[in-house]
Amino acid sequence: HERNIEEDRCIFPVRMMKKRRYWVSAVGQFCMSFNSICLISYLPYFIQNEMGLSATVSGYCSSIIYICSAIGNVLIVNALGKNRKYRFWMNFTVVGEASMLMVLLAVLSPKMSLAIMIGVIVLYGTFASAESSVFIMGAQQGLTEKQMGVATSGITFAQSFACVCGTAVGGLCLNLFGTLKSIFAVAAVVTLISAIVVVAMFPQNQTYETQKES
């Protein structure tokens, strides 16, 4: 249905998926948003029910993720303003977020230290937000000014759809396996797939002159 709609009116630009920069960014955004919603939705539940801490503490941990997300977004925008190395920053943030999720999965237990958890989620939140901004700007490379709005809406759609999928899959894992760790394990697998796709497939950076010509 979206393929048959005029490109400047569609929600998700299917025809634009022929561009490798765009579809890699869309896949990366989907996978990373999938793991983010799993973490944000179920980590407070784990802190209260498995670690036995209060709702106030779990609220603090969730707030830390959002605060670090804002910081990460500012840092990456400044970094991209100084140089346009989209591939480098995309790989750096994707591998960073994937690593933090793997570390969290490895150390996650009811007896884990709250300080360790906070340290991991500080880094996770910083990488996650920075990475999302790089996906949007990376997807816009080589597009005309008219296409940029549609391209951004498509990446945003991938992000929103991933949140729906992540919440549904997380609930399914909880019902099937009865453990919160199974949710984070699925999120880690999806993250690993995304990291491999982005690092291997996102093309080399265009020069500024090439972008202007495009």
Side-chain angles (χ1 to χ4, degrees):
H1 179 71
E2 287 293 303
R3 187 173 61 246
N4 296 327
I5 298 175
E6 294 179 20
E7 190 174 88
D8 59 345
R9 294 171 180 249
C10 62
I11 297 173
F12 190 79
V14 179
R15 289 187 290 272
M16 206 174 284
M17 292 292 281
K18 295 178 181 178
K19 300 177 183 290
R20 190 167 64 163
R21 291 177 189 277
Y22 190 81
W23 74 256
V24 170
S25 298
V27 169
Q29 182 69 81
F30 177 88
C31 292
M32 293 307 181
S33 297
F34 181 98
N35 76 52
S36 292
I37 198 65
C38 286
L39 190 69
I40 292 170
S41 297
Y42 293 100
L43 191 59
Y45 189 83
F46 180 85
I47 291 171
Q48 292 180 63
N49 289 271
E50 300 290 333
M51 297 178 68
L53 300 176
S54 67
T56 302
V57 173
S58 70
Y60 285 150
C61 291
S62 299
S63 299
I64 288 170
I65 295 177
Y66 290 113
I67 292 169
C68 291
S69 294
I71 295 171
N73 193 46
V74 171
L75 291 175
I76 200 64
V77 168
N78 286 332
L80 287 170
K82 294 177 180 178
N83 64 70
R84 297 172 183 269
K85 296 180 179 179
Y86 296 98
R87 179 184 172 86
F88 169 79
W89 290 113
M90 190 174 290
N91 291 350
F92 178 74
T93 54
V94 165
V95 172
E97 183 179 357
S99 299
M100 289 304 101
L101 193 57
M102 298 298 178
V103 169
L104 180 63
L105 183 64
V107 301
L108 194 67
S109 75
K111 296 181 179 180
M112 75 176 294
S113 166
L114 183 61
I116 294 176
M117 175 173 285
I118 290 175
V120 173
I121 63 177
V122 162
L123 293 173
Y124 176 88
T126 304
F127 279 119
S129 177
E131 167 192 76
S132 182
S133 297
V134 178
F135 281 135
I136 292 174
M137 289 182 274
Q140 292 176 343
Q141 281 189 287
L143 300 180
T144 64
E145 187 174 348
K146 183 178 180 181
Q147 291 176 316
M148 285 187 178
V150 172
T152 304
S153 74
I155 296 295
T156 304
F157 174 78
Q159 183 179 30
S160 301
F161 186 58
C163 291
V164 175
C165 294
T167 304
V169 171
L172 180 62
C173 289
L174 196 58
N175 287 330
L176 290 176
F177 303 106
T179 63
L180 289 164
K181 199 164 185 176
S182 65
I183 300 172
F184 301 132
V186 171
V189 171
V190 173
T191 304
L192 185 60
I193 292 171
S194 174
I196 292 171
V197 169
V198 170
V199 172
M201 300 297 294
F202 194 81
Q204 295 293 332
N205 299 306
Q206 290 178 304
T207 63
Y208 182 62
E209 288 74 18
T210 305
Q211 291 183 56
K212 287 177 66 177
E213 290 173 4
S214 300

